[in-house]
Amino acid sequence: MAQKVLVPCSSSSSCGNVQFSPSRVHTQAIAFGGGLSQSSSRKNKSLALKAVAAKGETSAPVTAKSGHEILLFDALREGLEEEMARDPTVCVMGEDVGHYGGSYKVTKGLAEKFGDLRVLDTPICENSFTGMGIGAAMTGLRTVVEGMNMGFLLLAYNQISNNAGMLHYTSGGQFKIPVVIRGPGGVGKQLGAEHSQRLESYFQSVPGLQMVACSTPYNAKGLMKAAIRSDNPVILYEHVLLYNLKERIPDEEYVLCLEEAELVRPGKDITILTYSRMRHFVLQAAKTLVERGYDPEIIDIRSLKPFDLFTIGNSIKKTHKVLIVEECMRTGGIGASLRAAIVDNFWDFLDGRPECLSSQDVPTPYAATLEDATVVQPAQIIVKVEQMLQGLI
Amino acid sequence: MAMAMARWRQRLLSSACSSSSSSAAAPQALLRLASSALSRQSSSRGFAAAPDDTTPFVVDIPVPYAGHRCDPPEQRVETSAKELVDFFKVMYVMRRMEIAADSLYKAKFIRGFCHLYDGQEAVCVGMEAALTKEDAIITAYRDHCTHIGRGGTVLEVMAELMGRKSGCSLGKGGSMHMYNKEGNFYGGNGIVGAQTALGAGLAFAQKYNKQNAVSLALYGDGAANQGQLFEAMNISALWDLPVIFVCENNHYGMGTAEWRSAKSPEYYKRGDYVPGLKIDGMDVLAVKQGVRFAKEHALTKGPIVLEMDTYRYHGHSMSDPGSTYRTREEISGVRQERDPIERVRKLLLAKEIVTVADLKNLEKQAKAEVDEAVNQAKEGGQPETHELFTHVHVKGLKQLAYGPDRKEVIVPLP
């Protein structure tokens, strides 16, 4: 039951119930995207008191007993259900989303509630059901296309790049494509190379697309709702291993801003930019770093395209050092683009080169030890941060 | 192999469709008397009574339909004088427009890829006669005439081809990306075969919104071998989506003849469990009848595949001379035997709906219309530089675009 819609995104909406932190410097606001959100300072209030950021630390603005505890996949489901109930043009399509309830239970119960046409079980034809979702979106339906695993959407690359990304432009603005393409990606637990792909690096240069990555139940639900309400084609990246993350989220309805980054832990020594599963690794590493006396500022960039250069820039101006921790490959990943953007925009504020920890440029092996060696581990984050803060690199 | 080729060439030139005047005798004779009386009256006043006449009469369709898992429609179609004259007018405008595009391309006003539709006009004109604007059409890159059929103007098409801001896509789409939202025309797609999945999506939306309309997904004989087409056919048949798959078979996939690219060139049968109908695509009345039949089928029973047996006079695009993989005799043969405009002309004259002079007038008007549009389009301005960044995203996305030095903001994206 929605009582009040909290939309912690600025532009025209007022952020009256959010406190403005005086430590944020608004220099050259016009160059970095205008007045973006101040909601992240809300988290300042609750987290600044604690010295250690725990792994399951809440990112959601709730007090101890209000709100409800929920797992991430259920938060996605809640967001989807609320949007489907609110707007009859929202429909979901994908493999086993209907009667089976979704291979990760994100659409569980929705087919019984909304019917087979609105929660459509498709045959295994990614290219054409993604195309179908895009074609339907051209007429005004708000389709949510689920890839059972993000990697399968490579079969639909043509539809996503040429149709979802370009149709608004090539039609001179006549058609908009309010499609949401979502699914789990990232390296799981020994799923094999083809089921451990990180598609954010492949889609990031497609013009016309917007990309967001969720990492906690709070932002998963908020981003799902925002993506559905957006008139642009949005790709929502979920992570296979984060579906069972538990958190307490507000009971009231809330919609997050798609283009906004989340300040997870304020600090002054170094800016660590991360997203998706790596956020939790960074938080784990941060425990140790704080014990050793360092004060990292951790930002979950959330918006993979476009980058929230405003939040990132303000952080870099404060700390002068930046480390990017990502799960993409080193070559052509999100980190590569982010490094370029940081160098272009904040060169004068950097004390050293922006560092990046990314996955190895290898197909993900099956063996557990090798798989662990493919992705960044908390120990590596600790070593890297110490090296940077001790001036060794 | 040579024998197969020769047989195939013969089929292309088959003159079974040339004799429009040898249709059924008796009702025609009556009509001829009536209309000649009218035309004697009207000839002194010029062009008046007969062309606006909407009284229906029946015309035979010479080339038989071929059905796959369905009973083909009757070989007779109802039409009227007005409709035939309109067909002639519109097809002639389309023909002139494509020829104008040819010369503009050679004069370097149009660049890049330009795929011309002349020879195939009967397909889109006949389709429109059987559809309403509620129905949706999506096609591939040979879309100039389809855009006109859906309500676009020649000026819009010409301006878009020349990259002017008065074009239908504001100059940002080009030849292969023409769209018309009011006319439910979804383009205009560059990648072969991808539009069939979109077409299934259009039909899905029509079913979702319970509209009593159909979607037509057009593709060529080259695209008929794409896997995504069969995926789209499967999901359409599975969910009874009101989609009509129309294969515009002009017998060449760019430079590759159909017998060299398809094991089974009977494209109307390729749907397997989806019924199909083969139509003479050079006969506008046959197309009208076939599409009307298909629309009924799609609304009641589910998807259907139509194969339009048609031909393009130009090459695949302007960079293709069109004569390296086929002989000039073949092209001129088809033009002589099966040209869609000539067929309608013969029908109009045989039924004495118009005189030769009237047709010449119509042709002059069409040429003037196209020339006027070309001149107006040439005067149109190029899009402004800031238009580079508009319509990348729908309004609401906060993003700034920088100049090349990455320091100065040149435009905030809307």
Side-chain angles (χ1 to χ4, degrees), chain B residues 344-407:
Chain B
V344 175
R345 185 200 299 272
K346 281 191 204 135
L347 191 57
L348 282 171
L349 293 173
K351 296 216 180 293
E352 294 187 359
I353 298 170
V354 291
T355 63
V356 174
D358 295 331
L359 287 178
K360 278 228 172 349
N361 268 335
L362 274 179
E363 287 175 15
K364 238 196 285 196
Q365 276 171 26
K367 279 196 194 110
E369 185 184 326
V370 170
D371 288 339
E372 164 70 34
V374 168
N375 290 332
Q376 231 183 313
K378 274 187 187 165
E379 284 165 29
Q382 299 272 348
E384 318 277 322
T385 315
H386 73 84
E387 289 286 335
L388 178 63
F389 301 108
T390 56
H391 304 124
V392 180
H393 299 278
V394 173
K395 194 178 159 114
L397 176 67
K398 293 182 289 295
Q399 191 172 12
L400 294 181
Y402 293 86
D405 55 1
R406 298 301 290 188
K407 286 192 168 49

Side-chain angles (χ1 to χ4, degrees), chain B residues 207-397:
Chain B
K207 183 176 174 127
Y208 192 98
N209 293 322
K210 300 194 174 63
Q211 294 167 275
N212 198 35
V214 294
S215 297
L216 283 85
L218 276 60
Y219 59 97
D221 46 295
N225 300 314
Q226 277 265 326
Q228 49 192 327
L229 170 64
F230 296 94
E231 291 179 17
M233 284 188 195
N234 179 42
I235 55 185
S236 310
L238 190 61
W239 299 320
D240 287 323
L241 302 181
V243 58
I244 302 173
F245 293 102
V246 181
C247 177
E248 290 179 294
N249 182 11
N250 56 24
H251 307 283
Y252 292 95
M254 202 165 97
T256 308
E258 64 178 346
W259 60 271
R260 286 180 61 220
S261 68
K263 182 72 179 172
S264 160
E266 294 180 300
Y267 298 106
Y268 69 109
K269 289 189 184 169
R270 298 276 286 270
D272 187 17
Y273 40 82
V274 177
L277 185 69
K278 181 165 172 169
I279 303 172
D280 177 13
M282 306 297 257
D283 180 349
V284 64
L285 293 171
V287 172
K288 172 184 162 184
Q289 171 87 317
V291 173
R292 196 194 312 154
F293 169 80
K295 177 168 173 172
E296 226 177 270
H297 189 285
L299 286 175
T300 51
K301 300 191 207 117
I304 183 170
V305 179
L306 297 181
E307 181 187 337
M308 303 282 181
D309 185 354
T310 181
Y311 198 84
R312 54 168 163 81
Y313 299 142
H314 271 91
H316 164 73
S317 71
M318 287 305 299
S319 5
D320 169 27
S323 50
T324 53
Y325 47 87
R326 51 186 189 172
T327 59
R328 292 193 200 281
E329 291 78 51
E330 180 190 300
I331 306 172
S332 50
V334 175
R335 199 191 277 271
Q336 242 173 317
E337 308 275 320
R338 302 176 61 198
D339 186 83
I341 299 179
E342 290 312 304
R343 156 187 253 116
V344 175
R345 185 200 299 272
K346 281 191 204 135
L347 191 57
L348 282 171
L349 293 173
K351 296 216 180 293
E352 294 187 359
I353 298 170
V354 291
T355 63
V356 174
D358 295 331
L359 287 178
K360 278 228 172 349
N361 268 335
L362 274 179
E363 287 175 15
K364 238 196 285 196
Q365 276 171 26
K367 279 196 194 110
E369 185 184 326
V370 170
D371 288 339
E372 164 70 34
V374 168
N375 290 332
Q376 231 183 313
K378 274 187 187 165
E379 284 165 29
Q382 299 272 348
E384 318 277 322
T385 315
H386 73 84
E387 289 286 335
L388 178 63
F389 301 108
T390 56
H391 304 124
V392 180
H393 299 278
V394 173
K395 194 178 159 114
L397 176 67

Side-chain angles (χ1 to χ4, degrees), chain A residues 16-95:
Chain A
N17 48 343
V18 176
Q19 314 211 339
F20 178 62
S21 162
S23 65
R24 293 171 72 84
V25 181
H26 288 269
T27 54
Q28 288 185 296
I30 188 67
F32 301 119
L36 287 180
S37 166
Q38 294 137 20
S39 69
S40 35
S41 53
R42 203 179 351 177
K43 294 159 197 104
N44 278 359
K45 270 276 168 192
S46 50
L47 290 176
L49 301 169
K50 299 183 187 179
V52 175
K55 180 172 179 183
E57 187 87 24
T58 179
S59 60
V62 292
T63 58
K65 284 304 158 207
S66 71
H68 56 284
E69 282 213 322
I70 198 168
L71 299 178
L72 196 145
F73 72 86
D74 218 5
L76 287 166
R77 194 195 52 73
E78 245 182 41
L80 190 48
E81 188 171 1
E82 284 174 18
E83 288 304 302
M84 289 182 78
R86 173 184 176 272
D87 183 352
T89 63
V90 179
C91 55
V92 189
M93 52 189 70
E95 294 158 13

Side-chain angles (χ1 to χ4, degrees), chain A residues 315-371:
Chain A
S315 177
I316 293 176
K317 282 180 205 159
K318 191 169 48 165
T319 64
H320 310 297
K321 294 184 186 54
V322 64
L323 169 66
I324 302 166
V325 181
E326 55 155 357
E327 203 173 321
C328 270
M329 322 287 210
R330 188 150 207 82
T331 309
I334 296 290
S337 305
L338 192 48
R339 266 214 265 203
I342 290 171
V343 162
D344 282 347
N345 291 297
F346 309 120
W347 178 254
D348 295 328
F349 300 98
L350 287 170
D351 276 350
R353 70 169 190 233
E355 294 287 336
C356 183
L357 284 172
S358 23
S359 297
Q360 305 300 333
D361 282 323
V362 295
T364 314
Y366 168 74
T369 45
L370 291 183
E371 187 182 65

